[in-house]
Amino acid sequence: MVRIRGLFSRTPLEYKILLILAVGLALGFGSYVTYTIQAESAALLQQHRIQSRLFAESLKSGIRNMMMSGRPSYVRSLVEEAREEFKEVGKVRLFNNESKEIFAATDRFMFRVAEDSLIPPFIITGEKPREGSRQYVLLKNEKACQECHGTDHTVRGALRMEFSHDAEQSIELAAQIAAEAFKSLMLSGKGEEADWLMSTIQSVDGVTRAQVYDRDGYYVAFGDDTHEVPEPILEEAAATFAKRVPNESALFYPREDERTFIFGLENEEKCQICHGADHSVRGMLVLSVDSDAARHEDIPHEVAAAGFKNMMLKQRAMYAGDYVDRVRRVPLVERFEVFDNGRNHPEGIVRELYVPDPHFTQAVFDDSVEQLILEVNRQDRDGPRRMEYREVLDDGEIYLTQIIPLINDEKCQACHKPPEPGDPKYERYGSRWKIRSAVKVSTSMAPILGEIRRNIYSSVGVGVFTVFAVGVILRIFMKIVVVQPLRAIGNTVRQVGQGNLAMTTAVASNDEIGILSQQINRMIQGLRERLHLTKFVSEGTMEAVQKADLSGVSLGGERRNATVLFSDIRGFTAYSEGVEPETVIEMLNTFLNEQAQIVKQYNGDIDKFVGDELMAVFQGEGMVEDAINCSIALQWKVALLNRDYNAPIGVGIGINAGPMVMGAMGSSDRMDYTVLGDNVNLGARLCSAAESGRIIVSKGAVEMLDIPNQFDLVKRKSISVKGKENPIEVYEVRYET
């Protein structure tokens, strides 16, 4: 976050504003596009739904009219013609009231008479045959089954399984079969029932855990989540499955009390309709058995039977065939056969179900039609007139399916009378008579979904182009109206910061940026004035101002040790009487300017100029040495200037050191930052006593020298000065001329 904030802070203002505008446009336009696409998609889907329903209703009406007109033989032709005309956009199927397809093109599975002579006795007696490695499982007519199959029999059928596994392979085989059961249930559209499937498998004797995790192993998607696999194991499994093909990736984790097998669930092409195609794994199936049951070879058989029962109990008989077919393709599975109880055959012959038909294109039995038929017949009134849902068929496409029932109304009952109790047909048709048949029309949603995708792409394209175009226009506008003026202002401020106070901004607009430009120009003008004002005050004054708070510099001072130097030009009055005033001013400014530069060179501060006199203050360590060196340099410089101007000009210099008061003197409206005191006055008196070219230093100043003999000091006769009772001992500084 800090790094992003730092990067954002370094981003130019132009791009920040563009980014904010782009985000705003994207959100606003995106919301509008999303709403528009949803509305258009809903309208397209509704139109598709109405067209599909109209076709199904038209076909139903055609069939009914043919039946009512006594021409049932023409129904096959009508269905086949409808199927031929409709094949480009969908599928047309007709079912009787037993939910079996009429005039089907082909069947996926065939029925055939049971070849195993042990099956019929097993269904009747329930005694398991003992025949090598084959396992027989009885499919009982449990309470949940009786909703569809009635209560007049106890056995629905049987399973015969033959697996070529050993005890060590039991867990892996059971996990693979459980995975196929889970896949079949998900593809059947009953994924919400997967919890029940995992619970059924976990109820198998010896199975301690049956769960399905998400592909990252973060949570239990289906199954009992009170006994989860340790997190490190799940992380290892997820990482392994992400790198390898899931069907070739399986992990086994043995423990003292439990053995766990984790199987990767491949994200098959059919699964990608819901789960997307951006990953190869869509989950992990975990199967654990206790150590005592780990070598029980019957666990795979019981898991396989549990998976089949689950499919049937969830009214997914059509997809149960898919499950059977999947189990048959599992390695080590030699046989997996399903048999009915013979009740659907006139002679009671037991048949093998889900025998693959090499010419398969359509399924014979449809559980959705069955569900609609049973619901209509359970109602005292007519019940629902149609069923509508989406499903994924074998070609992998999504279809909108409409099931329209042909109600066995009063006119139909002239030929198709409801069966009465005691009638031989009552058992078979007593719960189905209200419907004669059902038309199932499945229209491919690929064109509609394709149109929706095209709408999305075009809308997104227009949105991106709009955002881009607006961004370009805004960038040009901002460059002219905002960025360039700001850059000009920034350049001016940068130049001013570097000391160039001649700069001004030239923004001509009257908006906020123009007002800012005017304020900056006023600020620069004020800086110029302040710069010029600094030439009229000492550095001490500037330092005091800089240290002052918002209330400003206060009147008053403080006692400090300092050295004062007074320099007064000699012979200036006589020189000025015979020279033009302009030349006099030029000469005076030259002399004073050169003296001021020398004072600064020796760490002094110009306190003030009084006519042709200069007053300087020195502070800190070596202040007397600085003052004397400065005075010598002043005398040398004046000598050079005399030669340039051919003028008999000289300076007399007086130096004194000691305590003095330094501070702001005057009034609150007009003050002067200077030094005052007796030692200052004495310095001025010494300057008055110094002849042209002479440097007089007080004894007090000499005594403050760290090394007195570093200068050529000659003691002079004591002098009397105004304000002092006793004469003052002074020294003269001799220097080379």
Side-chain angles (χ1 to χ4, degrees):
M1 182 62 71
V2 175
R3 187 176 180 181
I4 295 175
R5 189 181 295 114
L7 180 63
F8 190 76
S9 66
R10 293 191 298 271
T11 303
L13 177 62
E14 175 185 5
Y15 297 119
K16 292 179 183 177
I17 297 176
L18 284 175
L19 177 61
I20 294 173
L21 292 175
V23 171
L25 282 172
L27 291 176
F29 195 79
S31 301
Y32 171 75
V33 169
T34 301
Y35 172 78
T36 303
I37 290 174
Q38 289 179 344
E40 292 178 353
S41 300
L44 288 172
L45 291 173
Q46 180 64 16
Q47 182 181 5
H48 182 74
R49 182 180 294 110
I50 293 173
Q51 291 175 346
S52 176
R53 186 189 308 168
L54 287 175
F55 182 85
E57 292 283 359
S58 299
L59 182 59
K60 183 199 77 169
S61 298
I63 294 172
R64 187 175 186 280
N65 289 335
M66 286 185 177
M67 296 297 294
M68 295 296 294
S69 63
R71 295 180 291 174
S73 59
Y74 289 93
V75 174
R76 175 184 287 272
S77 298
L78 177 62
V79 172
E80 290 178 350
E81 286 180 11
R83 183 179 292 132
E84 181 65 22
E85 293 177 0
F86 202 65
K87 67 180 181 180
E88 298 297 330
V89 294
K91 304 177 186 297
V92 176
R93 301 168 69 186
L94 183 64
F95 295 85
N96 61 17
N97 61 359
E98 293 183 285
S99 305
K100 294 180 179 179
E101 187 174 4
I102 309 172
F103 315 131
T106 56
D107 296 334
R108 178 179 181 183
F109 299 107
M110 302 185 302
F111 298 108
R112 69 183 178 191
V113 177
E115 298 176 350
D116 189 343
S117 59
L118 300 177
I119 291 295
F122 172 55
I123 292 176
I124 295 173
T125 64
E127 295 182 4
K128 287 188 177 182
R130 299 184 179 275
E131 186 183 16
S133 61
R134 295 181 181 178
Q135 287 281 348
Y136 294 82
V137 176
L138 203 64
L139 300 173
K140 296 183 179 180
N141 189 24
E142 300 174 357
K143 184 176 181 180
C145 306
Q146 295 171 7
E147 182 178 351
C148 297
H149 299 287
T151 60
D152 57 344
H153 55 283
T154 59
V155 177
R156 288 297 307 146
L159 299 176
R160 183 174 70 173
M161 296 168 280
E162 184 177 357
F163 304 156
S164 60
H165 69 287
D166 55 29
E168 296 296 334
Q169 298 169 318
S170 295
I171 304 177
E172 180 177 0
L173 180 57
Q176 287 180 297
I177 294 173
E180 299 304 334
F182 175 80
K183 293 176 186 177
S184 297
L185 185 63
M186 295 297 289
L187 291 172
S188 73
K190 287 285 186 178
E192 67 274 13
E193 303 292 347
D195 274 318
W196 193 87
L197 171 63
M198 293 296 105
S199 176
T200 303
I201 294 175
Q202 189 166 329
S203 67
V204 173
D205 186 30
V207 176
T208 60
R209 183 191 290 112
Q211 299 169 331
V212 174
Y213 289 81
D214 69 302
R215 66 174 182 270
D216 296 314
Y218 292 154
Y219 63 91
V220 177
F222 303 101
D224 184 6
D225 59 0
T226 59
H227 182 41
E228 297 187 21
V229 177
E231 185 175 339
I233 294 178
L234 292 173
E235 291 178 352
E236 178 186 357
T240 300
F241 296 147
K243 297 176 182 177
R244 301 196 302 226
V245 178
N247 286 343
E248 298 177 1
S249 302
L251 300 177
F252 181 62
Y253 296 93
R255 291 172 49 187
E256 291 183 3
D257 59 337
E258 185 180 75
R259 297 189 177 189
T260 299
F261 188 87
I262 303 180
F263 188 81
L265 298 172
E266 182 183 6
N267 190 22
E268 300 175 3
E269 185 176 354
K270 293 181 180 179
C271 307
Q272 294 171 8
I273 296 171
C274 296
H275 297 283
D278 58 343
H279 49 276
S280 60
V281 181
R282 64 184 175 100
M284 297 182 293
L285 185 138
V286 176
L287 188 73
S288 301
V289 300
D290 59 51
S291 297
D292 294 334
R295 296 184 179 275
H296 290 183
E297 296 183 10
D298 291 342
I299 290 179
H301 303 90
E302 296 182 27
V303 171
F308 180 81
K309 292 176 183 177
N310 179 269
M311 297 298 294
M312 296 300 294
L313 288 172
K314 297 307 172 187
Q315 299 181 359
R316 304 319 261 180
M318 184 176 71
Y319 291 91
D322 177 72
Y323 166 69
V324 171
D325 191 50
R326 284 176 174 271
V327 173
R328 287 170 178 164
R329 295 197 298 267
V330 173
L332 304 180
V333 174
E334 302 296 332
R335 288 177 181 273
F336 188 68
E337 300 167 338
V338 183
F339 302 88
D340 67 6
N341 58 5
R343 292 177 59 84
N344 291 329
H345 193 278
E347 299 176 8
I349 297 175
V350 175
R351 297 176 299 175
E352 180 183 352
L353 310 179
Y354 305 113
V355 178
D357 185 346
H359 305 293
F360 161 78
T361 57
Q362 298 275 352
V364 173
F365 182 85
D366 190 287
D367 57 339
S368 298
V369 174
E370 177 77 359
Q371 180 181 351
L372 179 61
I373 290 173
L374 295 177
E375 286 181 359
V376 171
N377 279 273
R378 280 197 296 266
Q379 300 290 333
D380 293 334
R381 50 189 178 81
D382 289 341
R385 291 289 179 175
R386 64 184 178 87
M387 177 183 289
E388 177 183 306
Y389 59 94
R390 297 183 190 181
E391 62 178 342
V392 179
L393 298 184
D394 294 336
D395 57 4
E397 291 188 8
I398 300 176
Y399 285 78
L400 176 65
T401 296
Q402 303 265 359
I403 302 178
I404 309 296
L406 276 76
I407 303 299
N408 189 20
D409 57 21
E410 186 176 353
K411 292 182 179 179
C412 299
Q413 292 175 17
C415 297
H416 304 285
K417 296 180 180 179
E420 298 291 339
D423 189 323
K425 296 182 180 180
Y426 186 80
E427 284 188 21
R428 189 168 183 176
Y429 299 109
S431 60
R432 301 173 179 274
W433 68 270
K434 291 184 179 180
I435 291 181
R436 288 304 308 151
S437 61
V439 175
K440 182 176 182 179
V441 175
S442 300
T443 52
S444 174
M445 297 189 67
I448 296 298
L449 296 178
E451 183 66 23
I452 292 174
R453 280 194 296 272
R454 285 190 292 273
N455 288 343
I456 293 174
Y457 295 152
S458 60
S459 298
V460 171
V462 171
V464 171
F465 174 77
T466 301
V467 172
F468 176 77
V470 171
V472 171
I473 295 172
L474 284 175
R475 189 175 188 278
I476 296 173
F477 174 79
M478 289 180 57
K479 194 174 186 65
I480 297 173
V481 177
V482 178
V483 176
Q484 289 181 348
L486 286 179
R487 284 178 179 171
I489 293 173
N491 181 61
T492 300
V493 173
R494 184 168 55 254
Q495 292 290 332
V496 171
Q498 295 173 356
N500 183 9
L501 295 180
M503 293 292 296
T504 57
T505 59
V507 178
S509 63
N510 293 322
D511 55 14
E512 289 80 357
I513 296 178
I515 295 172
L516 174 62
S517 173
Q518 296 171 12
Q519 295 295 332
I520 289 177
N521 286 337
R522 293 192 187 98
M523 180 190 71
I524 295 172
Q525 180 62 32
L527 290 175
R528 289 197 201 104
E529 295 171 356
R530 284 162 179 78
L531 178 62
H532 294 317
L533 285 174
T534 60
K535 300 176 183 180
F536 292 88
V537 296
S538 65
E539 291 184 2
T541 303
M542 293 298 298
E543 182 179 350
V545 171
Q546 291 170 357
K547 292 181 178 180
D549 55 19
L550 294 177
S551 61
V553 179
S554 301
L555 290 172
E558 59 179 340
R559 182 180 294 272
R560 292 186 186 179
N561 282 326
T563 299
V564 292
L565 181 151
F566 287 87
S567 171
D568 191 20
I569 297 177
R570 305 287 189 249
F572 176 74
T573 303
Y575 171 77
S576 61
E577 289 178 352
V579 181
E580 293 295 327
E582 291 80 6
T583 304
V584 172
I585 295 299
E586 178 186 354
M587 184 275 294
L588 180 60
N589 287 336
T590 300
F591 272 64
L592 294 178
N593 182 64
E594 293 295 339
Q595 290 186 69
Q597 296 300 322
I598 293 172
V599 169
K600 289 183 180 179
Q601 181 181 346
Y602 287 93
N603 304 316
D605 179 23
I606 303 297
D607 185 85
K608 62 174 66 71
F609 294 101
V610 182
D612 55 1
E613 183 183 58
L614 174 147
M615 174 183 171
V617 180
F618 296 83
Q619 298 184 70
E621 186 178 354
M623 59 183 181
V624 177
E625 286 86 346
D626 288 341
I628 294 175
N629 286 325
C630 178
S631 64
I632 295 172
L634 287 175
Q635 294 292 1
W636 289 343
K637 190 64 177 180
V638 169
L640 291 175
L641 291 174
N642 281 336
R643 288 198 293 269
D644 293 340
Y645 280 91
N646 192 22
I649 300 296
V651 293
I653 299 175
I655 298 174
N656 186 34
M660 53 193 72
V661 177
M662 181 178 292
M665 312 299 172
S667 69
S668 59
D669 296 329
R670 175 69 173 87
M671 61 183 68
D672 186 15
Y673 194 88
T674 186
V675 289
L676 297 174
D678 184 61
N679 286 316
V680 178
N681 296 334
L682 179 57
R685 300 291 185 270
L686 296 179
C687 178
S688 299
E691 299 87 351
S692 175
R694 303 291 182 177
I695 303 172
I696 296 179
V697 184
S698 68
K699 179 182 178 181
V702 171
E703 291 176 348
M704 296 177 68
L705 288 171
D706 294 332
I707 306 175
N709 58 5
Q710 63 180 304
F711 300 106
D712 186 6
L713 298 173
V714 178
K715 188 173 183 180
R716 290 183 53 168
K717 181 181 178 181
S718 299
I719 62 174
S720 297
V721 298
K722 184 179 180 181
K724 294 289 185 181
E725 294 182 1
N726 300 319
I728 304 299
E729 295 184 27
V730 296
Y731 291 82
E732 181 180 347
V733 179
R734 299 289 178 86
Y735 59 92
E736 295 181 1
T737 58

